[in-house]
Amino acid sequence: MNILLLGSGGREHALAWKIAASPLLTKLWCAPGNAGIAREAECVALDVGNHAAVIDFCKANAVDLVVVGPETPLAAGIVDDLAAAGIKAFGPAKKAAQLEGSKGFTKDLCSEFNIPTGAYRRFDNAKDALAYVRAQGAPIVVKADGLAAGKGVVVAMTLKQAEDAVAMMFEGAFGAAGAEVVIEEFLSGREISFFALCDGETAIALASAQDHKRVFDHDEGPNTGGMGAYSPTPFVTPEVHDQIMARIILPTVAGMKARGTPFQGVLYAGVMLTAQGPKLFEYNVRFGDPECQVLMLRMMSDIVPAFLAACDGQLKNFDLRWYPDAAVTVVMAAKGYPGDYRKGSRIEGLDEAAKVDGVEIFHAGTAAKDGAILANGGRVLNVCALGRTVTEAQARAYQAVDRIEWPDGFCRRDIAWQAVEAEKGR
Ligand code: AMP
Ligand code: GLY
């Protein structure tokens, strides 16, 4: 098969690595890709926002399947446009991608299909939103409705913070994404992520994986796209797993089908384990980054038939197998991230780092120049490792990190600490 992968981050490097291992693969391209992805795929300088150009490329190269990594092209309807041109693509159609593209859409779906979530209201003006916030009091959560690169959520612990968030969003801090605002009940409990592969009708859960959103150790500092991840997580017990499937994932898939907008792709649920049971606080419509990296390391099955089964509505008869080993990924980012950072610094020692047992290094934001690897983004490298336990995987990942010479980079030193603590207690 000829496959085209869209995206350029660590998630896409992990996907490229896994797709490249499939005996079904003839040729893999990635647009636009990065210096690490270039080891697995031929990188092509296609503008992913130009759907006609992507379609032309697929036709000219007899592409059998397109795999879409990030949410932006999904929300822009690339899967619909590819389908209209007769090209199979893994990922949700535009209407189904609203599960991530509009927080209000997801809240309304939850209320229509009785999916447990926090109480909420949708607003299109600051005056009514402020009145509601004042009536509810803090803590409360203020969310820009649309895609805001992970920055559109303010968990306000005081009324003042909530009022400021409402004002900021309606003043255009997130552009059109904040023209509508959702105000949501603050949910307290342990936050977990849950991933399921969906074919429009059926869903099968992926292995559990958890990221670390804050930039510094001990979960301090601002939110990021994710500074590391581990799999499996001790907090998704079989009971929690079954509750999330039965009360959240399957009703969502059934609801989307009933509405005539079936969801096909990876559904990524942000779930709070509250005293009243699991409650959904958000959906994403793609693999998490960096959660995908640990999932790909642990997936034993060939991923290409899984993508095809999801596209063809055949997951009912499908099964995914996983290695029992644990996986950890540590994100190395450019100093300054998630704020301003420099591009272009030189990274050395990658080959030595990759020699550590069980280690695999995925590139998230790199470029190659004259044989050297240069930093080319905020999140730059994903140093991943497998081990018999999370503790062993973590030790191997940091051993590899310590072999990388990159003075302009930094990482958290405590990735997977929750699972390591849980293993100590065993
Ligand atoms: P997001 O940018 O949508 O991933 O949300 C950022 C973070 O806000 C999440 O990871 C949660 O920790 C938190 N969050 C979102 N909604 C709620 C809620 N209703 N209650 C408490 N925390 C929330
Ligand atoms: N790791 C969080 C995300 O992919 O949105």
Side-chain angles (χ1 to χ4, degrees):
M1 284 184 72
N2 290 334
I3 300 182
L4 170 65
L5 172 65
L6 303 183
S8 62
R11 166 181 51 210
E12 287 75 27
H13 189 180
L15 289 171
W17 176 83
K18 187 67 188 159
I19 293 169
S22 171
L24 297 175
L25 184 72
T26 310
K27 167 93 189 178
L28 177 62
W29 293 270
C30 184
N34 65 36
I37 294 173
R39 292 204 302 257
E40 316 289 350
E42 181 180 333
C43 294
V44 280
L46 268 177
D47 171 7
V48 174
N50 181 347
H51 297 185
V54 175
I55 290 166
D56 286 348
F57 180 89
C58 292
K59 288 191 169 158
N61 294 284
V63 168
D64 302 294
L65 175 69
V66 177
V67 176
V68 187
E71 64 277 17
T72 309
L74 296 169
I78 197 157
V79 170
D80 310 61
D81 291 344
L82 286 165
I87 300 158
K88 195 175 286 206
F90 176 78
K94 185 173 184 169
K95 285 194 169 144
Q98 287 181 90
L99 284 171
E100 177 165 359
S102 165
K103 308 256 189 228
F105 174 92
T106 295
K107 299 297 286 186
D108 289 352
L109 184 95
C110 289
S111 116
E112 184 178 344
F113 296 98
N114 224 358
I115 295 162
T117 188
Y120 75 105
R121 286 266 304 274
R122 302 176 72 167
F123 296 94
D124 63 6
N125 69 84
K127 185 167 162 282
D128 293 344
L130 285 172
Y132 181 73
V133 157
R134 287 174 188 141
Q136 297 295 312
I140 195 157
V141 184
V142 181
K143 300 185 173 183
D145 185 74
L147 293 181
K151 299 190 179 110
V153 173
V154 175
V155 179
M157 299 315 286
T158 66
L159 186 57
K160 171 86 170 58
Q161 285 169 349
E163 290 173 344
D164 289 351
V166 168
M168 163 190 80
M169 288 184 196
F170 283 113
E171 276 160 17
F174 302 117
E180 209 190 291
V181 163
V182 173
I183 299 186
E184 192 179 300
E185 176 191 354
F186 172 81
L187 300 172
S188 65
R190 183 184 287 284
E191 180 178 335
I192 59 111
S193 300
F194 194 93
F195 297 88
L197 189 63
C198 305
D199 68 357
E201 197 150 346
T202 319
I204 52 179
L206 304 185
S208 61
Q210 191 58 49
D211 71 343
H212 296 258
K213 293 224 164 58
R214 303 299 192 102
V215 71
F216 299 129
D217 287 15
H218 314 299
D219 293 321
E220 285 174 6
N223 261 328
T224 69
M227 293 302 291
Y230 58 97
S231 172
T233 64
F235 311 111
V236 180
T237 60
E239 188 194 359
V240 167
H241 176 282
D242 291 351
Q243 287 173 347
I244 293 174
M245 281 304 281
R247 298 182 198 166
I248 298 178
I249 304 291
L250 293 172
T252 298
V253 172
M256 293 296 283
K257 181 174 177 233
R259 283 183 170 191
T261 54
F263 183 89
Q264 169 252 302
V266 173
L267 192 55
Y268 161 175
V271 175
M272 201 69 84
L273 303 180
T274 74
Q276 297 83 43
K279 291 191 180 182
L280 179 78
F281 63 80
E282 71 166 354
Y283 270 135
N284 297 303
V285 298
R286 48 167 177 89
F287 282 105
D289 184 349
E291 296 93 318
C292 183
Q293 288 79 317
V294 286
L295 291 175
M296 290 308 109
L297 281 181
R298 292 195 59 220
M299 189 183 282
M300 187 191 289
S301 305
D302 183 350
I303 200 166
V304 173
F307 286 152
L308 293 174
C311 290
D312 297 342
Q314 292 301 322
L315 284 181
K316 196 164 68 249
N317 305 313
F318 207 79
D319 180 30
L320 276 175
R321 294 198 302 148
W322 302 89
Y323 293 113
D325 310 63
V328 167
T329 179
V330 176
V331 170
M332 296 187 77
K335 282 182 183 160
Y337 174 82
D340 292 338
Y341 55 80
R342 240 163 40 91
K343 284 188 181 175
S345 54
R346 212 181 150 102
I347 302 168
E348 311 267 9
L350 288 169
D351 292 340
E352 278 309 302
K355 286 181 190 154
V356 176
D357 241 6
V359 163
E360 197 65 50
I361 298 174
F362 295 126
H363 291 214
T366 61
K369 197 173 172 209
D370 306 329
I373 298 291
L374 306 181
N376 192 38
R379 291 189 293 173
V380 173
L381 294 169
N382 302 145
V383 182
C384 309
L386 283 165
R388 276 161 302 180
T389 58
V390 176
T391 308
E392 184 177 67
Q394 186 203 49
R396 288 171 164 182
Y398 282 115
Q399 203 186 330
V401 162
D402 290 339
R403 292 187 182 186
I404 294 174
E405 293 157 42
W406 180 32
D408 255 24
F410 75 100
C411 66
R412 276 180 65 157
R413 299 296 312 194
D414 65 345
I415 297 304
W417 67 266
Q418 298 94 327
V420 169
E421 288 291 310
E423 283 177 354
K424 275 187 198 142
R426 242 183 237 163

Coordinates of all heavy atoms in Angstrom, one line a residue, residues 149-151 211-216 220-228 268 289-290 331 333 336-339 379 410 412:
A149 N -5.2 26.1 20.2 CA -3.9 25.5 20.4 C -3.7 25.1 21.8 O -2.6 25.3 22.4 CB -2.8 26.4 19.9
G150 N -4.7 24.6 22.5 CA -4.6 24.1 23.9 C -4.5 25.3 24.9 O -4.3 25.0 26.1
K151 N -4.8 26.5 24.5 CA -4.6 27.6 25.4 C -6.0 28.2 25.8 O -6.1 29.2 26.6 CB -3.8 28.7 24.8 CG -2.4 28.2 24.5 CD -1.5 29.4 24.1 CE -0.1 28.9 23.8 NZ 0.3 29.0 22.4
D211 N -0.4 11.9 29.9 CA 0.6 12.9 29.7 C 0.8 13.8 30.9 O 0.0 13.6 31.9 CB 0.3 13.7 28.4 CG -0.9 14.7 28.6 OD1 -1.6 14.5 29.5 OD2 -1.0 15.6 27.8
H212 N 1.8 14.7 30.8 CA 2.0 15.7 31.9 C 1.9 17.0 31.2 O 2.8 17.3 30.4 CB 3.4 15.5 32.5 CG 3.7 14.2 33.2 ND1 3.7 14.1 34.5 CD2 3.9 13.0 32.7 CE1 3.9 12.8 34.9 NE2 4.1 12.1 33.8
K213 N 0.9 17.8 31.6 CA 0.7 19.1 30.8 C 1.6 20.2 31.3 O 1.9 21.1 30.5 CB -0.8 19.5 30.9 CG -1.7 18.5 30.2 CD -2.7 19.2 29.4 CE -3.4 18.2 28.4 NZ -4.0 17.1 29.0
R214 N 1.9 20.3 32.6 CA 2.6 21.5 33.0 C 4.1 21.4 32.6 O 4.7 20.3 32.5 CB 2.5 21.6 34.6 CG 1.1 21.7 35.1 CD 0.4 22.9 34.5 NE -0.8 23.1 35.3 CZ -1.0 24.0 36.2 NH1 0.0 24.8 36.5 NH2 -2.1 24.1 36.9
V215 N 4.7 22.6 32.5 CA 6.1 22.6 31.9 C 7.2 22.2 32.9 O 8.2 21.6 32.4 CB 6.4 24.0 31.3 CG1 6.5 25.1 32.4 CG2 7.6 24.0 30.4
F216 N 7.0 22.4 34.2 CA 8.0 22.1 35.2 C 7.7 20.9 36.1 O 6.5 20.5 36.2 CB 8.3 23.3 36.0 CG 8.8 24.5 35.2 CD1 8.2 25.7 35.4 CD2 9.8 24.4 34.3 CE1 8.6 26.8 34.7 CE2 10.2 25.5 33.5 CZ 9.6 26.7 33.7
E220 N 4.3 22.1 38.0 CA 4.3 23.5 38.1 C 4.5 24.2 36.8 O 5.0 23.6 35.8 CB 5.4 23.9 39.2 CG 4.9 23.6 40.6 CD 6.0 23.8 41.6 OE1 7.0 24.4 41.3 OE2 5.7 23.4 42.8
G221 N 4.1 25.5 36.8 CA 4.3 26.3 35.6 C 3.2 26.2 34.6 O 2.2 25.5 34.9
P222 N 3.3 26.9 33.5 CA 2.1 27.0 32.6 C 1.8 25.6 31.9 O 2.7 24.8 31.8 CB 2.5 28.0 31.6 CG 4.0 28.2 31.7 CD 4.4 27.8 33.1
N223 N 0.6 25.5 31.3 CA 0.3 24.4 30.5 C 1.1 24.3 29.2 O 1.4 25.4 28.7 CB -1.2 24.4 30.2 CG -2.0 23.5 31.2 OD1 -1.5 22.5 31.6 ND2 -3.2 23.9 31.4
T224 N 1.3 23.1 28.7 CA 2.0 23.0 27.4 C 1.2 22.0 26.6 O 0.2 21.5 27.1 CB 3.4 22.3 27.7 OG1 3.2 21.0 28.1 CG2 4.2 23.1 28.7
G225 N 1.7 21.6 25.5 CA 1.1 20.5 24.7 C 1.3 19.1 25.4 O 0.6 18.2 25.1
G226 N 2.2 19.1 26.3 CA 2.5 17.8 26.9 C 4.0 17.6 27.0 O 4.7 17.7 26.0
M227 N 4.6 17.4 28.2 CA 6.0 17.4 28.5 C 6.5 15.9 28.6 O 7.7 15.7 28.8 CB 6.4 18.2 29.7 CG 6.2 19.7 29.6 SD 7.1 20.4 28.2 CE 8.8 20.2 28.8
G228 N 5.6 15.0 28.5 CA 6.0 13.6 28.6 C 4.8 12.7 28.8 O 3.7 13.3 29.0
Y268 N -10.2 10.9 21.7 CA -9.3 11.1 22.9 C -10.2 11.8 23.9 O -10.5 13.0 23.7 CB -8.1 11.8 22.4 CG -7.2 12.5 23.4 CD1 -6.0 13.1 22.9 CD2 -7.5 12.7 24.7 CE1 -5.2 13.8 23.7 CE2 -6.6 13.4 25.6 CZ -5.5 13.9 25.0 OH -4.6 14.7 25.9
D289 N -0.5 14.0 21.7 CA 1.0 14.1 21.5 C 1.5 14.7 22.7 O 1.2 15.8 23.1 CB 1.2 15.0 20.3 CG 2.7 15.2 19.9 OD1 3.5 14.7 20.7 OD2 3.0 15.7 18.8
P290 N 2.3 13.9 23.6 CA 3.1 12.7 23.3 C 2.5 11.4 23.7 O 3.3 10.4 23.7 CB 4.4 13.0 24.1 CG 3.8 13.7 25.3 CD 2.6 14.5 24.9
V331 N 9.8 14.6 26.9 CA 9.9 15.6 25.9 C 11.0 16.5 26.2 O 11.2 17.0 27.3 CB 8.6 16.4 25.8 CG1 8.7 17.6 24.9 CG2 7.4 15.5 25.3
A333 N 12.4 20.1 25.2 CA 11.9 21.3 24.6 C 13.0 22.3 24.6 O 14.0 22.3 25.3 CB 10.7 21.8 25.4
G336 N 12.6 28.2 27.2 CA 11.6 29.2 26.9 C 10.2 28.7 26.6 O 9.2 29.4 26.9
Y337 N 10.2 27.5 26.0 CA 8.9 26.9 25.7 C 8.1 26.7 27.0 O 8.7 26.4 28.0 CB 9.1 25.5 25.1 CG 7.8 24.7 24.8 CD1 7.0 25.0 23.7 CD2 7.4 23.8 25.7 CE1 5.8 24.3 23.6 CE2 6.2 23.1 25.6 CZ 5.4 23.3 24.5 OH 4.3 22.6 24.3
P338 N 6.8 27.0 27.1 CA 5.8 27.2 26.0 C 5.8 28.7 25.6 O 4.9 29.1 24.8 CB 4.5 26.8 26.6 CG 4.6 27.0 28.0 CD 6.1 26.8 28.4
G339 N 6.7 29.6 26.2 CA 6.7 31.0 25.7 C 7.7 31.1 24.5 O 7.8 30.1 23.7
R379 N 8.6 22.0 21.2 CA 8.9 20.6 21.6 C 9.8 20.0 20.5 O 9.4 20.0 19.4 CB 7.6 19.8 21.8 CG 6.8 20.4 23.1 CD 5.7 19.5 23.4 NE 4.6 19.5 22.4 CZ 3.5 18.7 22.4 NH1 3.4 17.8 23.4 NH2 2.6 18.8 21.5
F410 N 15.7 21.6 27.5 CA 15.4 21.2 28.9 C 14.3 20.2 28.8 O 13.7 20.0 27.8 CB 15.0 22.4 29.7 CG 13.6 22.9 29.5 CD1 12.6 22.5 30.3 CD2 13.3 23.6 28.4 CE1 11.2 22.8 30.1 CE2 12.0 24.0 28.1 CZ 10.9 23.6 29.0
R412 N 11.5 17.9 31.8 CA 11.1 17.5 33.1 C 11.9 16.3 33.6 O 12.1 15.4 32.8 CB 9.6 17.3 33.2 CG 8.8 18.6 33.4 CD 7.3 18.3 33.4 NE 6.9 17.5 34.6 CZ 5.7 17.5 35.1 NH1 4.7 18.3 34.6 NH2 5.4 16.8 36.2

